[in-house]
Amino acid sequence: MPQKKKRKLSRHHIIIIIISGIMLVATISVFAVNSFIPLKYLSSFLVFGNPNEEGLLRVNFVDVGNGDCTIIELPDGKILMIDGGDGTHAHNAKILKELNSRNVDNIDYLICSSVENGSCGGLKEILNYKTVDKIFAPYSPVTYISEGFKHFTDAIKQLDKEISYCEYGVGIEGKGYSFCFLSPDSHLYEGGEYGTLLNSPTEQNIKNASAVIWLECDGVNFMFLGNTGQAVQKKLINYYNVSGLEFGGRTIDLTKCDILKMSDHGSKEGAFAQFIDLLNPHTAIISVGENGRGNPTLAAIANAQKNVGDELYRTDELGTITVTVKGGNYEISKEKQ
């Protein structure tokens, strides 16, 4: 019986099969990659690692425009992150890139310092792609006080995470370091910043209810002023002069401040000269974007330079600014030279 001749595929059919195969492989690859790495942030995950050296403190003031984000690599290997930018895709991508370049998959302490979008707008995305152990956040039963805060608190509920409030006396004692909140006052105090905020959620009251954070490590002290204005800074002066500020059974000496993160992107209201003079820092950092809505103001720059001279660093000019602490001294590096 004669054998049937095998039908040869035309060149056209071969091309179609090859293209179909390539598309199938590409589709499978996209699905596989997206199962582990979000395609919209692909470039933020495909980065080379730059982990911190054990025993060092590295504080990274991330350039997120007119927002705030500070990634702190603690000497025991733990990660403290303060704020998550305004939630725009570009700034979310920048933060994730910074975390991934430092091999950070888990954030030990996440602080949302304010209900303002510039602080909390991107935190929902951080919770989507990174695990978090302990969360500190403002006390605000009205979660829809801003879009970013609503998304952030909704994400926390889905993860079934507990929140510790950002309020005076709360903090963490670690191995060779500590951080604590100096303001707002307790949420149980009706006359405090949280009580005032709930009664009248004006722009200024929202700013004054943001967290003031003191960080100590290896003899170097950082002050993060959040978005607070003169009212809170005057209060801190009064507390310091009258009864002192305490954490962990010891008194905090504000005059030992080495590095000050300026308030509210260098606004005039946030740069209270008397408070900056009390701190008398050696270095000042301003987190601000290009064309920063009038910030930093000349008043803020002048009040800072009176104490720090040329040691004033701005993210709009220098990009992400990193402070590395070792042996009681610190060095500063910049993304843009």
Side-chain angles (χ1 to χ4, degrees):
M1 185 174 178
Q3 293 182 349
K4 292 183 179 180
K5 292 183 178 180
K6 293 183 178 179
R7 186 177 179 182
K8 292 184 178 180
L9 295 174
S10 68
R11 184 177 179 183
H12 176 70
H13 285 120
I14 292 173
I15 292 173
I16 291 176
I17 290 172
I18 292 173
I19 292 174
S20 299
I22 292 173
M23 291 178 65
L24 178 61
V25 171
T27 301
I28 294 172
S29 299
V30 167
F31 178 79
V33 169
N34 205 36
S35 298
F36 301 97
I37 301 175
L39 287 180
K40 64 179 179 177
Y41 297 126
L42 185 60
S43 63
S44 298
F45 281 78
L46 301 179
V47 294
F48 293 104
N50 179 28
N52 190 31
E53 182 181 334
E54 185 177 355
L56 299 188
L57 174 76
R58 195 159 62 171
V59 181
N60 308 283
F61 299 90
V62 184
D63 177 18
V64 288
N66 292 302
D68 286 299
C69 178
T70 306
I71 299 170
I72 302 172
E73 300 161 277
L74 297 164
D76 58 2
K78 293 184 177 181
I79 301 296
L80 163 63
M81 179 169 160
I82 305 173
D83 296 330
D86 59 8
T88 59
H89 179 271
H91 293 151
N92 291 341
K94 181 68 179 285
I95 294 168
L96 288 169
K97 182 178 181 179
E98 292 290 338
L99 289 169
N100 291 327
S101 70
R102 288 159 174 75
N103 295 340
V104 175
D105 293 317
N106 181 74
I107 299 168
D108 298 276
Y109 312 110
L110 177 63
I111 296 175
C112 170
S113 74
S114 172
V115 299
E116 288 192 273
N117 276 317
S119 297
C120 63
L123 291 178
K124 176 181 178 293
E125 288 289 78
I126 299 301
L127 292 175
N128 282 341
Y129 299 112
K130 301 296 178 183
T131 58
V132 175
D133 290 338
K134 190 171 183 61
I135 298 174
F136 299 90
Y139 172 75
S140 180
V142 182
T143 58
Y144 52 83
I145 194 166
S146 73
E147 183 179 9
F149 192 67
K150 180 67 166 64
H151 292 328
F152 172 53
T153 51
D154 285 347
I156 293 173
K157 289 177 183 177
Q158 291 179 359
L159 294 173
D160 196 25
K161 288 278 188 182
E162 293 185 359
I163 293 177
S164 295
Y165 297 131
C166 302
E167 57 189 19
Y168 177 70
V170 174
I172 295 291
E173 289 267 15
K175 188 176 181 180
Y177 65 88
S178 67
F179 67 87
C180 66
F181 299 101
L182 302 183
S183 187
D185 288 318
S186 169
H187 70 286
L188 300 175
Y189 173 41
E190 292 184 1
E193 289 79 18
Y194 286 136
T196 302
L197 172 63
L198 293 177
N199 289 328
S200 178
T202 64
E203 179 181 355
Q204 193 56 56
N205 287 341
I206 287 174
K207 290 183 182 298
N208 281 336
S210 66
V212 175
I213 303 165
W214 181 263
L215 168 67
E216 298 182 1
C217 181
D218 200 10
V220 177
N221 303 313
F222 294 74
M223 170 71 87
F224 301 82
L225 278 178
N227 295 318
T228 58
Q230 292 188 17
V232 169
Q233 294 173 36
K234 286 179 179 178
K235 176 197 76 173
L236 290 174
I237 292 174
N238 184 60
Y239 282 7
Y240 178 77
N241 288 333
V242 174
S243 57
L245 296 162
E246 296 185 354
F247 174 69
R250 68 179 188 279
T251 300
I252 293 173
D253 188 350
L254 294 182
T255 66
K256 300 297 184 182
C257 176
D258 295 288
I259 299 163
L260 168 66
K261 184 176 182 296
M262 298 280 288
S263 173
D264 196 26
H265 320 297
S267 72
K268 180 179 179 180
E269 170 66 18
F272 183 42
Q274 187 178 346
F275 188 66
I276 298 176
D277 289 346
L278 171 66
L279 296 175
N280 192 24
H282 302 131
T283 299
I285 310 286
I286 299 178
S287 177
V288 65
E290 295 181 3
N291 303 316
R293 303 167 191 165
N295 294 325
T297 61
L298 292 177
I301 293 173
N303 289 344
Q305 287 187 327
K306 177 182 174 184
N307 293 274
V308 305
D310 293 335
E311 294 300 304
L312 175 64
Y313 299 85
R314 296 167 45 173
T315 57
D316 61 332
E317 296 178 340
L318 302 171
T320 295
I321 298 162
T322 299
V323 180
T324 303
V325 176
K326 181 178 182 179
N329 298 308
Y330 64 88
E331 295 180 352
I332 297 176
S333 58
K334 292 105 42 182
E335 181 181 11
K336 302 174 185 178
Q337 300 301 324

